Amino acid sequence: MGWGEITWLAEVDSTNRYALEHFEALNDGSLVVAECQTAGRGRRGRNWISPAGENIYASFLIKSTAIPIWHTPRIGGLAVLETLRTLAPEVNFWLKWPNDLFCRERKICGILSEVKTGQGNVVRGGVIGIGININMSERALHALDQPATSLLMECDDKINLKKVAELLVIALNKYYIIGLNNSQVLYDLWKAENMLIGMLVDVVMDDAQVVHGEICDIGFDGELKLATSTGVKRFLSGDVAISKSSINQLFRR
Ligand code: BTN
């Protein structure tokens, strides 16, 4: 077994933590999936709420060091997009910098890539952690800390989680291979799905400072370029809040 293998866990604290701990034993291009997480990790130190049997909580193993770690969320984003589009072709999903997937103005998936280092802090690869809201009810979604949706809410159908994981691992390997062959192609595909360029936004920085401007580009190394009243500013991390006028323009309200 190897490429495309899925390790199913009934319960774990975090699939990312598990995949990093068992990195040597797990295969390159394989996926760890848990029914439930007791300490799911989100970006910027947040928790990822992970109720049992409702959603996908998964971590994908990247053992090649040829792909820089900051490119790996692109593999995750494009693979989730392809999987969701296969399951719900009529729904409009899009990528939101830095590592989210949205459906209209609601988040449906978050991605957290983490690096695996070995002796002497040498990079050995990484894991792409993926949380997708699949069968979460409206009530459970309301309890989250930001506007969110699930596949159930978007297409009124309960989805088999095994089927989602099987589609996902195939798509992840597809984009992993594309990235290994040509990281420029991976970047071009990923950038084309980012709907933020041209939008008026507030970027909330890690220190909670807020910068307002229009997104003019997203660079090859992942930096967001924001045209502000004092010139172009670059961000490598942060949260983006889209202005109401840009949301209306994006979804033609
Ligand atoms: C975000 O904050 O948007 C990123 C969320 C990433 C959550 C996933 S769930 C599976 C994997 N294991 C974790 O502990 N976190 C990621």
Side-chain angles (χ1 to χ4, degrees), residues 174-194:
K174 169 180 157 183
Y175 289 104
Y176 185 11
I177 291 165
I178 289 175
L180 280 174
N181 285 338
N182 192 329
S183 51
Q184 180 68 42
V185 171
L186 184 73
Y187 164 70
D188 290 342
L189 291 169
W190 174 79
K191 184 176 160 182
E193 299 287 358
N194 267 275

Side-chain angles (χ1 to χ4, degrees), residues 12-17 32 37 39-50 56-59 99-100 107 109-114 128-132 146:
V12 72
D13 50 356
S14 150
T15 56
N16 269 22
R17 199 222 33 88
V32 175
Q37 296 185 122
R41 301 175 184 171
R43 288 191 300 115
R44 308 174 82 200
R46 290 186 280 235
N47 294 329
W48 188 257
I49 307 295
S50 311
I56 285 288
Y57 317 113
S59 298
N99 294 323
D100 292 334
K107 179 163 166 168
C109 166
I111 293 174
L112 174 69
S113 280
E114 296 189 75
I128 306 172
I130 299 168
I132 319 174
Q146 60 175 307

Side-chain angles (χ1 to χ4, degrees), residues 2-210:
W3 181 96
E5 180 187 0
I6 300 179
T7 302
W8 292 93
L9 305 172
E11 184 181 295
V12 72
D13 50 356
S14 150
T15 56
N16 269 22
R17 199 222 33 88
Y18 180 96
L20 289 168
E21 186 185 323
H22 298 90
F23 194 79
E24 304 305 334
L26 291 164
N27 285 308
D28 191 18
S30 70
L31 192 67
V32 175
V33 184
E35 277 261 314
C36 131
Q37 296 185 122
T38 53
R41 301 175 184 171
R43 288 191 300 115
R44 308 174 82 200
R46 290 186 280 235
N47 294 329
W48 188 257
I49 307 295
S50 311
E54 290 195 6
N55 299 323
I56 285 288
Y57 317 113
S59 298
F60 182 66
L61 277 279
I62 297 271
K63 289 204 168 185
S64 167
T65 50
I67 298 186
I69 192 69
W70 60 90
H71 286 189
T72 62
R74 295 172 188 175
I75 296 171
L78 287 165
V80 175
L81 204 55
E82 188 162 304
T83 301
L84 292 179
R85 284 177 179 165
T86 303
L87 292 166
E90 69 288 357
V91 181
N92 186 12
F93 302 102
W94 57 283
L95 294 182
K96 178 166 178 265
W97 182 96
N99 294 323
D100 292 334
L101 262 96
F102 268 59
C103 182
R104 292 167 287 107
E105 66 271 44
R106 291 177 184 273
K107 179 163 166 168
I108 192 162
C109 166
I111 293 174
L112 174 69
S113 280
E114 296 189 75
V115 193
K116 172 68 186 176
T117 51
Q119 267 193 344
N121 260 354
V122 174
V123 174
R124 304 201 37 85
V127 299
I128 306 172
I130 299 168
I132 319 174
N133 300 336
I134 303 288
N135 293 323
M136 226 172 178
S137 67
E138 195 167 5
R139 210 165 130 214
L141 289 163
H142 269 134
L144 301 179
D145 59 358
Q146 60 175 307
T149 189
S150 67
L151 212 47
L152 174 66
M153 289 300 104
E154 298 306 321
C155 48
D156 237 359
D157 243 346
K158 275 224 167 192
I159 312 277
N160 181 302
L161 295 178
K162 285 224 147 107
K163 181 177 171 193
V164 182
E166 278 157 15
L167 289 171
L168 182 63
V169 76
I170 292 169
L172 282 162
N173 276 285
K174 169 180 157 183
Y175 289 104
Y176 185 11
I177 291 165
I178 289 175
L180 280 174
N181 285 338
N182 192 329
S183 51
Q184 180 68 42
V185 171
L186 184 73
Y187 164 70
D188 290 342
L189 291 169
W190 174 79
K191 184 176 160 182
E193 299 287 358
N194 267 275
M195 305 292 284
L196 287 179
I197 295 169
M199 298 285 142
L200 281 176
V201 300
D202 286 328
V203 177
V204 184
M205 292 160 64
D206 291 343
D207 61 2
Q209 206 188 313
V210 178

